[in-house]
Amino acid sequence: MRYLRFIIENYRAITGPLEINVAKNSLMPIIGVNESGKTTVLQAIFAFDPYNDDLNDNGRHLKDVTNLYRTSSGPIGVSAEIEISKHELKQNLGVCEKQFPSLKSTFEIIKNRRILPTKLIIRRNLISKKYSFPFENFGDLDAQDALARKVILGLPYILYFDDFRDKIAEKIEIPDQESDSLPEWLEIIQQLFLKTDPGFSIFNLASLEIRKRKTVLSKVQRHLNDALTREWQTFRLDDRDALKIAIEFDQSDSNPPKNFLKLDVVETDSNGDEHFFFISDRSKGFYWFFNFVMKLEFNPKIVSGSGLQSIYLLDEPGSYLHAFAQRKLCQKLRQLSEKNAVIYCTHSHYLLDPDKIPISSVVIADKDSDGNIGLTRMINYQGSVLDNRSALQPVLDALLIKPYALDLIHTEMTIIVEGICDYIALELFRGERSVAILPSVGAGSIKFYISLMIAWQVRFRALWDNDSEGRKKFLEAETLFGSEISARHFKLLPTTTPNSNKIMQNLFDGKDLILIREKLHLPVDCSFERTIQALFYSPSRTELLKTIGSTTKENFEALFKNLSLDS
């Protein structure tokens, strides 16, 4: 079973129906200014699953769900379209027969139908908290609610990360007996124990002989710190070694005594002395890092599943991380989306790196004049600037970001190109060269960035296609900026024949494009633009580039040489 899409209606300022297709878009960054509705979208999806009702600050996503912009509205609800096999549906009906004797006849009739659907819409009314199947005859509302809850139990888990509200428990009380419902952090620590050794449990600690207890805690502590160290090396929050976490068992003086687990951060100084701190005493970057890793590595909702995908909802992930760590997080989110659905809100352009995040996956949250929240794909977004000067201009508009010189001056040179496909082509063969590729949206828009390069004193090359349009815009730029700047910085794609046309596609050997289409299972008549985009975003890109022939590689090598500062 899997989720295909969510439909949100009348939830807070979302009039809707607003559709989120997780089957088609497993990675979806949502951007927009403050109060544009990004968090509302995440919380609406989170509200669909009843097993999340007590999470997120005791169910904050289920409170104040009415639309305050309207005096009246339709039913408030979130629906999900799911894919389910006939066998899976019959299994769930069979379980319901046993668990709900009073409804047995209803479930039996449904189970014995000759035709059963393989796609279902399940709707949750967020006022009554009840479920229904609006397009199926599945009995009365009690039967529909019971069956829906059983089906949802077997669907992928929906996990919500709120960087501004998630609190880390540094002293965790251990109840006398294990139950089916545990506080979130107690569940996470219990999962840490089980992943260290399936025979370990926090509920056995109090009864263990003290030396045995210390041995168990030592193994659990090492397992935890190994995971933290591994991820610390990925994010590199600072230059020192990863901080360690100490786990200690504690008992109160009350009668009967209460049992606790305490978590401390241990920092070792240059003399080898250890210093102990509360987790909340550390930087906000470390606080976020610890929270994120614990919920990924030891969340029981993930590891106790049967290989099912999860749906990650992340609100402003990595807000307290520096730029390098945010870039690493961007890569981590892309990797997560290969087997899970990842939807995240962000104000950071570092989490929108086009090398890792397809531009077509970015959506922009906005409110209309009536206060209704909507989502628009970035490629369809008009923005606040009529002249879209860059292929990424809608992102800059939506985030209210102005181009920043320091993003470019750390490279040897910036190459301004006509569009996103030129950007992709050069990025594919850039290798280890210390250059930045800046995509525009047409030959005429390059001149906007030439002004910025000159003002910021950034070393640059402006590159046009060597066709009639490219040559025309080249001459216009030369007239605007002067022949001296043109001679130093302006380039047309080099051609061996005067007045002949040459565009970026011509640098690719036709045999290589055929090979790429075959390897990526693309149609034989797939366009050049779609072919190189599929290659660029393919997980097998590195391996596929190794199969590219010498002609294509030599053409790009010659182009980069022609663009070099020495040319």
Side-chain angles (χ1 to χ4, degrees), residues 94-113:
V95 173
C96 287
E97 280 184 67
K98 296 176 182 178
Q99 290 187 351
F100 305 97
S102 63
L103 300 170
K104 180 179 179 179
S105 59
T106 299
F107 296 128
E108 190 173 23
I109 291 171
I110 300 171
K111 190 173 69 172
N112 292 329
R113 288 178 184 172

mmCIF file with all atom_site columns, all heavy atoms in Angstrom, residues 94-113:
data_model
loop_
_atom_site.group_PDB
_atom_site.id
_atom_site.type_symbol
_atom_site.label_atom_id
_atom_site.label_alt_id
_atom_site.label_comp_id
_atom_site.label_asym_id
_atom_site.label_entity_id
_atom_site.label_seq_id
_atom_site.pdbx_PDB_ins_code
_atom_site.Cartn_x
_atom_site.Cartn_y
_atom_site.Cartn_z
_atom_site.occupancy
_atom_site.B_iso_or_equiv
_atom_site.pdbx_formal_charge
_atom_site.auth_seq_id
_atom_site.auth_comp_id
_atom_site.auth_asym_id
_atom_site.auth_atom_id
_atom_site.pdbx_PDB_model_num
ATOM 1   N N   . GLY A 1 94  ? -10.780 -8.641  6.702  1.00 0.00 ? 94  GLY A N   1
ATOM 2   C CA  . GLY A 1 94  ? -10.799 -9.817  7.563  1.00 0.00 ? 94  GLY A CA  1
ATOM 3   C C   . GLY A 1 94  ? -10.447 -9.485  8.997  1.00 0.00 ? 94  GLY A C   1
ATOM 4   O O   . GLY A 1 94  ? -11.071 -9.992  9.941  1.00 0.00 ? 94  GLY A O   1
ATOM 5   N N   . VAL A 1 95  ? -9.458  -8.610  9.184  1.00 0.00 ? 95  VAL A N   1
ATOM 6   C CA  . VAL A 1 95  ? -9.075  -8.187  10.533 1.00 0.00 ? 95  VAL A CA  1
ATOM 7   C C   . VAL A 1 95  ? -10.222 -7.423  11.182 1.00 0.00 ? 95  VAL A C   1
ATOM 8   O O   . VAL A 1 95  ? -10.531 -7.609  12.370 1.00 0.00 ? 95  VAL A O   1
ATOM 9   C CB  . VAL A 1 95  ? -7.793  -7.327  10.493 1.00 0.00 ? 95  VAL A CB  1
ATOM 10  C CG1 . VAL A 1 95  ? -7.496  -6.737  11.874 1.00 0.00 ? 95  VAL A CG1 1
ATOM 11  C CG2 . VAL A 1 95  ? -6.608  -8.153  10.008 1.00 0.00 ? 95  VAL A CG2 1
ATOM 12  N N   . CYS A 1 96  ? -10.885 -6.560  10.419 1.00 0.00 ? 96  CYS A N   1
ATOM 13  C CA  . CYS A 1 96  ? -12.007 -5.780  10.953 1.00 0.00 ? 96  CYS A CA  1
ATOM 14  C C   . CYS A 1 96  ? -13.168 -6.690  11.358 1.00 0.00 ? 96  CYS A C   1
ATOM 15  O O   . CYS A 1 96  ? -13.872 -6.411  12.340 1.00 0.00 ? 96  CYS A O   1
ATOM 16  C CB  . CYS A 1 96  ? -12.473 -4.753  9.924  1.00 0.00 ? 96  CYS A CB  1
ATOM 17  S SG  . CYS A 1 96  ? -11.338 -3.351  9.711  1.00 0.00 ? 96  CYS A SG  1
ATOM 18  N N   . GLU A 1 97  ? -13.381 -7.767  10.598 1.00 0.00 ? 97  GLU A N   1
ATOM 19  C CA  . GLU A 1 97  ? -14.434 -8.716  10.957 1.00 0.00 ? 97  GLU A CA  1
ATOM 20  C C   . GLU A 1 97  ? -14.239 -9.247  12.374 1.00 0.00 ? 97  GLU A C   1
ATOM 21  O O   . GLU A 1 97  ? -15.183 -9.379  13.153 1.00 0.00 ? 97  GLU A O   1
ATOM 22  C CB  . GLU A 1 97  ? -14.424 -9.894  9.982  1.00 0.00 ? 97  GLU A CB  1
ATOM 23  C CG  . GLU A 1 97  ? -15.092 -9.641  8.656  1.00 0.00 ? 97  GLU A CG  1
ATOM 24  C CD  . GLU A 1 97  ? -15.107 -10.897 7.809  1.00 0.00 ? 97  GLU A CD  1
ATOM 25  O OE1 . GLU A 1 97  ? -15.811 -11.858 8.194  1.00 0.00 ? 97  GLU A OE1 1
ATOM 26  O OE2 . GLU A 1 97  ? -14.416 -10.934 6.772  1.00 0.00 ? 97  GLU A OE2 1
ATOM 27  N N   . LYS A 1 98  ? -12.974 -9.552  12.715 1.00 0.00 ? 98  LYS A N   1
ATOM 28  C CA  . LYS A 1 98  ? -12.667 -10.137 14.024 1.00 0.00 ? 98  LYS A CA  1
ATOM 29  C C   . LYS A 1 98  ? -12.693 -9.079  15.130 1.00 0.00 ? 98  LYS A C   1
ATOM 30  O O   . LYS A 1 98  ? -13.127 -9.357  16.245 1.00 0.00 ? 98  LYS A O   1
ATOM 31  C CB  . LYS A 1 98  ? -11.294 -10.803 13.983 1.00 0.00 ? 98  LYS A CB  1
ATOM 32  C CG  . LYS A 1 98  ? -11.224 -11.984 13.024 1.00 0.00 ? 98  LYS A CG  1
ATOM 33  C CD  . LYS A 1 98  ? -9.808  -12.553 12.957 1.00 0.00 ? 98  LYS A CD  1
ATOM 34  C CE  . LYS A 1 98  ? -9.723  -13.711 11.957 1.00 0.00 ? 98  LYS A CE  1
ATOM 35  N NZ  . LYS A 1 98  ? -8.341  -14.241 11.843 1.00 0.00 ? 98  LYS A NZ  1
ATOM 36  N N   . GLN A 1 99  ? -12.229 -7.869  14.811 1.00 0.00 ? 99  GLN A N   1
ATOM 37  C CA  . GLN A 1 99  ? -12.117 -6.845  15.850 1.00 0.00 ? 99  GLN A CA  1
ATOM 38  C C   . GLN A 1 99  ? -13.440 -6.132  16.131 1.00 0.00 ? 99  GLN A C   1
ATOM 39  O O   . GLN A 1 99  ? -13.619 -5.567  17.207 1.00 0.00 ? 99  GLN A O   1
ATOM 40  C CB  . GLN A 1 99  ? -11.048 -5.814  15.452 1.00 0.00 ? 99  GLN A CB  1
ATOM 41  C CG  . GLN A 1 99  ? -9.630  -6.359  15.499 1.00 0.00 ? 99  GLN A CG  1
ATOM 42  C CD  . GLN A 1 99  ? -8.593  -5.274  15.264 1.00 0.00 ? 99  GLN A CD  1
ATOM 43  O OE1 . GLN A 1 99  ? -8.924  -4.150  14.906 1.00 0.00 ? 99  GLN A OE1 1
ATOM 44  N NE2 . GLN A 1 99  ? -7.328  -5.618  15.480 1.00 0.00 ? 99  GLN A NE2 1
ATOM 45  N N   . PHE A 1 100 ? -14.360 -6.145  15.172 1.00 0.00 ? 100 PHE A N   1
ATOM 46  C CA  . PHE A 1 100 ? -15.629 -5.431  15.337 1.00 0.00 ? 100 PHE A CA  1
ATOM 47  C C   . PHE A 1 100 ? -16.789 -6.388  15.034 1.00 0.00 ? 100 PHE A C   1
ATOM 48  O O   . PHE A 1 100 ? -17.374 -6.347  13.934 1.00 0.00 ? 100 PHE A O   1
ATOM 49  C CB  . PHE A 1 100 ? -15.679 -4.207  14.413 1.00 0.00 ? 100 PHE A CB  1
ATOM 50  C CG  . PHE A 1 100 ? -14.524 -3.264  14.590 1.00 0.00 ? 100 PHE A CG  1
ATOM 51  C CD1 . PHE A 1 100 ? -13.415 -3.321  13.746 1.00 0.00 ? 100 PHE A CD1 1
ATOM 52  C CD2 . PHE A 1 100 ? -14.526 -2.327  15.614 1.00 0.00 ? 100 PHE A CD2 1
ATOM 53  C CE1 . PHE A 1 100 ? -12.344 -2.456  13.910 1.00 0.00 ? 100 PHE A CE1 1
ATOM 54  C CE2 . PHE A 1 100 ? -13.457 -1.457  15.780 1.00 0.00 ? 100 PHE A CE2 1
ATOM 55  C CZ  . PHE A 1 100 ? -12.366 -1.527  14.939 1.00 0.00 ? 100 PHE A CZ  1
ATOM 56  N N   . PRO A 1 101 ? -17.108 -7.257  15.989 1.00 0.00 ? 101 PRO A N   1
ATOM 57  C CA  . PRO A 1 101 ? -18.165 -8.269  15.762 1.00 0.00 ? 101 PRO A CA  1
ATOM 58  C C   . PRO A 1 101 ? -19.501 -7.665  15.335 1.00 0.00 ? 101 PRO A C   1
ATOM 59  O O   . PRO A 1 101 ? -20.219 -8.265  14.519 1.00 0.00 ? 101 PRO A O   1
ATOM 60  C CB  . PRO A 1 101 ? -18.273 -8.961  17.127 1.00 0.00 ? 101 PRO A CB  1
ATOM 61  C CG  . PRO A 1 101 ? -16.956 -8.706  17.792 1.00 0.00 ? 101 PRO A CG  1
ATOM 62  C CD  . PRO A 1 101 ? -16.505 -7.368  17.315 1.00 0.00 ? 101 PRO A CD  1
ATOM 63  N N   . SER A 1 102 ? -19.835 -6.500  15.862 1.00 0.00 ? 102 SER A N   1
ATOM 64  C CA  . SER A 1 102 ? -21.127 -5.900  15.527 1.00 0.00 ? 102 SER A CA  1
ATOM 65  C C   . SER A 1 102 ? -21.194 -5.459  14.064 1.00 0.00 ? 102 SER A C   1
ATOM 66  O O   . SER A 1 102 ? -22.284 -5.262  13.517 1.00 0.00 ? 102 SER A O   1
ATOM 67  C CB  . SER A 1 102 ? -21.410 -4.707  16.437 1.00 0.00 ? 102 SER A CB  1
ATOM 68  O OG  . SER A 1 102 ? -20.437 -3.682  16.245 1.00 0.00 ? 102 SER A OG  1
ATOM 69  N N   . LEU A 1 103 ? -20.040 -5.291  13.440 1.00 0.00 ? 103 LEU A N   1
ATOM 70  C CA  . LEU A 1 103 ? -19.986 -4.855  12.041 1.00 0.00 ? 103 LEU A CA  1
ATOM 71  C C   . LEU A 1 103 ? -19.541 -5.979  11.105 1.00 0.00 ? 103 LEU A C   1
ATOM 72  O O   . LEU A 1 103 ? -19.252 -5.744  9.934  1.00 0.00 ? 103 LEU A O   1
ATOM 73  C CB  . LEU A 1 103 ? -19.026 -3.666  11.897 1.00 0.00 ? 103 LEU A CB  1
ATOM 74  C CG  . LEU A 1 103 ? -19.360 -2.414  12.710 1.00 0.00 ? 103 LEU A CG  1
ATOM 75  C CD1 . LEU A 1 103 ? -18.200 -1.427  12.667 1.00 0.00 ? 103 LEU A CD1 1
ATOM 76  C CD2 . LEU A 1 103 ? -20.635 -1.759  12.182 1.00 0.00 ? 103 LEU A CD2 1
ATOM 77  N N   . LYS A 1 104 ? -19.481 -7.180  11.627 1.00 0.00 ? 104 LYS A N   1
ATOM 78  C CA  . LYS A 1 104 ? -18.931 -8.315  10.872 1.00 0.00 ? 104 LYS A CA  1
ATOM 79  C C   . LYS A 1 104 ? -19.638 -8.523  9.546  1.00 0.00 ? 104 LYS A C   1
ATOM 80  O O   . LYS A 1 104 ? -19.008 -8.737  8.507  1.00 0.00 ? 104 LYS A O   1
ATOM 81  C CB  . LYS A 1 104 ? -19.012 -9.579  11.721 1.00 0.00 ? 104 LYS A CB  1
ATOM 82  C CG  . LYS A 1 104 ? -18.451 -10.813 10.998 1.00 0.00 ? 104 LYS A CG  1
ATOM 83  C CD  . LYS A 1 104 ? -18.524 -12.051 11.890 1.00 0.00 ? 104 LYS A CD  1
ATOM 84  C CE  . LYS A 1 104 ? -17.996 -13.268 11.143 1.00 0.00 ? 104 LYS A CE  1
ATOM 85  N NZ  . LYS A 1 104 ? -18.031 -14.503 11.967 1.00 0.00 ? 104 LYS A NZ  1
ATOM 86  N N   . SER A 1 105 ? -20.960 -8.475  9.545  1.00 0.00 ? 105 SER A N   1
ATOM 87  C CA  . SER A 1 105 ? -21.707 -8.737  8.310  1.00 0.00 ? 105 SER A CA  1
ATOM 88  C C   . SER A 1 105 ? -21.383 -7.713  7.227  1.00 0.00 ? 105 SER A C   1
ATOM 89  O O   . SER A 1 105 ? -21.280 -8.049  6.042  1.00 0.00 ? 105 SER A O   1
ATOM 90  C CB  . SER A 1 105 ? -23.217 -8.734  8.593  1.00 0.00 ? 105 SER A CB  1
ATOM 91  O OG  . SER A 1 105 ? -23.629 -7.485  9.130  1.00 0.00 ? 105 SER A OG  1
ATOM 92  N N   . THR A 1 106 ? -21.201 -6.450  7.637  1.00 0.00 ? 106 THR A N   1
ATOM 93  C CA  . THR A 1 106 ? -20.857 -5.403  6.665  1.00 0.00 ? 106 THR A CA  1
ATOM 94  C C   . THR A 1 106 ? -19.524 -5.696  6.002  1.00 0.00 ? 106 THR A C   1
ATOM 95  O O   . THR A 1 106 ? -19.388 -5.640  4.770  1.00 0.00 ? 106 THR A O   1
ATOM 96  C CB  . THR A 1 106 ? -20.798 -4.021  7.356  1.00 0.00 ? 106 THR A CB  1
ATOM 97  O OG1 . THR A 1 106 ? -22.065 -3.719  7.913  1.00 0.00 ? 106 THR A OG1 1
ATOM 98  C CG2 . THR A 1 106 ? -20.398 -2.938  6.358  1.00 0.00 ? 106 THR A CG2 1
ATOM 99  N N   . PHE A 1 107 ? -18.501 -6.012  6.812  1.00 0.00 ? 107 PHE A N   1
ATOM 100 C CA  . PHE A 1 107 ? -17.172 -6.274  6.263  1.00 0.00 ? 107 PHE A CA  1
ATOM 101 C C   . PHE A 1 107 ? -17.155 -7.550  5.429  1.00 0.00 ? 107 PHE A C   1
ATOM 102 O O   . PHE A 1 107 ? -16.440 -7.647  4.426  1.00 0.00 ? 107 PHE A O   1
ATOM 103 C CB  . PHE A 1 107 ? -16.144 -6.367  7.396  1.00 0.00 ? 107 PHE A CB  1
ATOM 104 C CG  . PHE A 1 107 ? -15.971 -5.079  8.157  1.00 0.00 ? 107 PHE A CG  1
ATOM 105 C CD1 . PHE A 1 107 ? -16.066 -5.037  9.541  1.00 0.00 ? 107 PHE A CD1 1
ATOM 106 C CD2 . PHE A 1 107 ? -15.712 -3.888  7.492  1.00 0.00 ? 107 PHE A CD2 1
ATOM 107 C CE1 . PHE A 1 107 ? -15.910 -3.866  10.245 1.00 0.00 ? 107 PHE A CE1 1
ATOM 108 C CE2 . PHE A 1 107 ? -15.553 -2.697  8.183  1.00 0.00 ? 107 PHE A CE2 1
ATOM 109 C CZ  . PHE A 1 107 ? -15.666 -2.687  9.563  1.00 0.00 ? 107 PHE A CZ  1
ATOM 110 N N   . GLU A 1 108 ? -17.950 -8.527  5.824  1.00 0.00 ? 108 GLU A N   1
ATOM 111 C CA  . GLU A 1 108 ? -17.992 -9.789  5.084  1.00 0.00 ? 108 GLU A CA  1
ATOM 112 C C   . GLU A 1 108 ? -18.592 -9.572  3.701  1.00 0.00 ? 108 GLU A C   1
ATOM 113 O O   . GLU A 1 108 ? -18.113 -10.131 2.706  1.00 0.00 ? 108 GLU A O   1
ATOM 114 C CB  . GLU A 1 108 ? -18.813 -10.810 5.877  1.00 0.00 ? 108 GLU A CB  1
ATOM 115 C CG  . GLU A 1 108 ? -18.723 -12.222 5.335  1.00 0.00 ? 108 GLU A CG  1
ATOM 116 C CD  . GLU A 1 108 ? -19.417 -13.219 6.247  1.00 0.00 ? 108 GLU A CD  1
ATOM 117 O OE1 . GLU A 1 108 ? -20.300 -12.813 7.024  1.00 0.00 ? 108 GLU A OE1 1
ATOM 118 O OE2 . GLU A 1 108 ? -19.064 -14.406 6.179  1.00 0.00 ? 108 GLU A OE2 1
ATOM 119 N N   . ILE A 1 109 ? -19.644 -8.773  3.626  1.00 0.00 ? 109 ILE A N   1
ATOM 120 C CA  . ILE A 1 109 ? -20.276 -8.483  2.335  1.00 0.00 ? 109 ILE A CA  1
ATOM 121 C C   . ILE A 1 109 ? -19.285 -7.783  1.392  1.00 0.00 ? 109 ILE A C   1
ATOM 122 O O   . ILE A 1 109 ? -19.169 -8.119  0.207  1.00 0.00 ? 109 ILE A O   1
ATOM 123 C CB  . ILE A 1 109 ? -21.538 -7.612  2.536  1.00 0.00 ? 109 ILE A CB  1
ATOM 124 C CG1 . ILE A 1 109 ? -22.628 -8.421  3.230  1.00 0.00 ? 109 ILE A CG1 1
ATOM 125 C CG2 . ILE A 1 109 ? -22.040 -7.065  1.207  1.00 0.00 ? 109 ILE A CG2 1
ATOM 126 C CD1 . ILE A 1 109 ? -23.828 -7.596  3.673  1.00 0.00 ? 109 ILE A CD1 1
ATOM 127 N N   . ILE A 1 110 ? -18.554 -6.797  1.932  1.00 0.00 ? 110 ILE A N   1
ATOM 128 C CA  . ILE A 1 110 ? -17.575 -6.073  1.104  1.00 0.00 ? 110 ILE A CA  1
ATOM 129 C C   . ILE A 1 110 ? -16.481 -7.022  0.626  1.00 0.00 ? 110 ILE A C   1
ATOM 130 O O   . ILE A 1 110 ? -16.096 -7.020  -0.545 1.00 0.00 ? 110 ILE A O   1
ATOM 131 C CB  . ILE A 1 110 ? -16.956 -4.902  1.894  1.00 0.00 ? 110 ILE A CB  1
ATOM 132 C CG1 . ILE A 1 110 ? -18.040 -3.915  2.332  1.00 0.00 ? 110 ILE A CG1 1
ATOM 133 C CG2 . ILE A 1 110 ? -15.903 -4.187  1.044  1.00 0.00 ? 110 ILE A CG2 1
ATOM 134 C CD1 . ILE A 1 110 ? -17.546 -2.852  3.299  1.00 0.00 ? 110 ILE A CD1 1
ATOM 135 N N   . LYS A 1 111 ? -15.981 -7.854  1.528  1.00 0.00 ? 111 LYS A N   1
ATOM 136 C CA  . LYS A 1 111 ? -14.869 -8.767  1.205  1.00 0.00 ? 111 LYS A CA  1
ATOM 137 C C   . LYS A 1 111 ? -15.246 -9.764  0.120  1.00 0.00 ? 111 LYS A C   1
ATOM 138 O O   . LYS A 1 111 ? -14.400 -10.172 -0.687 1.00 0.00 ? 111 LYS A O   1
ATOM 139 C CB  . LYS A 1 111 ? -14.423 -9.502  2.470  1.00 0.00 ? 111 LYS A CB  1
ATOM 140 C CG  . LYS A 1 111 ? -13.131 -10.293 2.303  1.00 0.00 ? 111 LYS A CG  1
ATOM 141 C CD  . LYS A 1 111 ? -12.644 -10.871 3.604  1.00 0.00 ? 111 LYS A CD  1
ATOM 142 C CE  . LYS A 1 111 ? -13.558 -11.982 4.089  1.00 0.00 ? 111 LYS A CE  1
ATOM 143 N NZ  . LYS A 1 111 ? -12.993 -12.698 5.260  1.00 0.00 ? 111 LYS A NZ  1
ATOM 144 N N   . ASN A 1 112 ? -16.514 -10.152 0.066  1.00 0.00 ? 112 ASN A N   1
ATOM 145 C CA  . ASN A 1 112 ? -16.953 -11.162 -0.898 1.00 0.00 ? 112 ASN A CA  1
ATOM 146 C C   . ASN A 1 112 ? -17.389 -10.579 -2.235 1.00 0.00 ? 112 ASN A C   1
ATOM 147 O O   . ASN A 1 112 ? -17.879 -11.318 -3.109 1.00 0.00 ? 112 ASN A O   1
ATOM 148 C CB  . ASN A 1 112 ? -18.097 -11.982 -0.298 1.00 0.00 ? 112 ASN A CB  1
ATOM 149 C CG  . ASN A 1 112 ? -17.621 -12.844 0.858  1.00 0.00 ? 112 ASN A CG  1
ATOM 150 O OD1 . ASN A 1 112 ? -16.467 -13.289 0.880  1.00 0.00 ? 112 ASN A OD1 1
ATOM 151 N ND2 . ASN A 1 112 ? -18.500 -13.081 1.835  1.00 0.00 ? 112 ASN A ND2 1
ATOM 152 N N   . ARG A 1 113 ? -17.236 -9.265  -2.385 1.00 0.00 ? 113 ARG A N   1
ATOM 153 C CA  . ARG A 1 113 ? -17.581 -8.676  -3.678 1.00 0.00 ? 113 ARG A CA  1
ATOM 154 C C   . ARG A 1 113 ? -16.652 -9.191  -4.770 1.00 0.00 ? 113 ARG A C   1
ATOM 155 O O   . ARG A 1 113 ? -15.465 -9.401  -4.551 1.00 0.00 ? 113 ARG A O   1
ATOM 156 C CB  . ARG A 1 113 ? -17.488 -7.153  -3.607 1.00 0.00 ? 113 ARG A CB  1
ATOM 157 C CG  . ARG A 1 113 ? -18.602 -6.507  -2.793 1.00 0.00 ? 113 ARG A CG  1
ATOM 158 C CD  . ARG A 1 113 ? -18.410 -4.994  -2.727 1.00 0.00 ? 113 ARG A CD  1
ATOM 159 N NE  . ARG A 1 113 ? -19.424 -4.373  -1.878 1.00 0.00 ? 113 ARG A NE  1
ATOM 160 C CZ  . ARG A 1 113 ? -19.411 -3.092  -1.518 1.00 0.00 ? 113 ARG A CZ  1
ATOM 161 N NH1 . ARG A 1 113 ? -18.426 -2.305  -1.934 1.00 0.00 ? 113 ARG A NH1 1
ATOM 162 N NH2 . ARG A 1 113 ? -20.372 -2.609  -0.747 1.00 0.00 ? 113 ARG A NH2 1
#
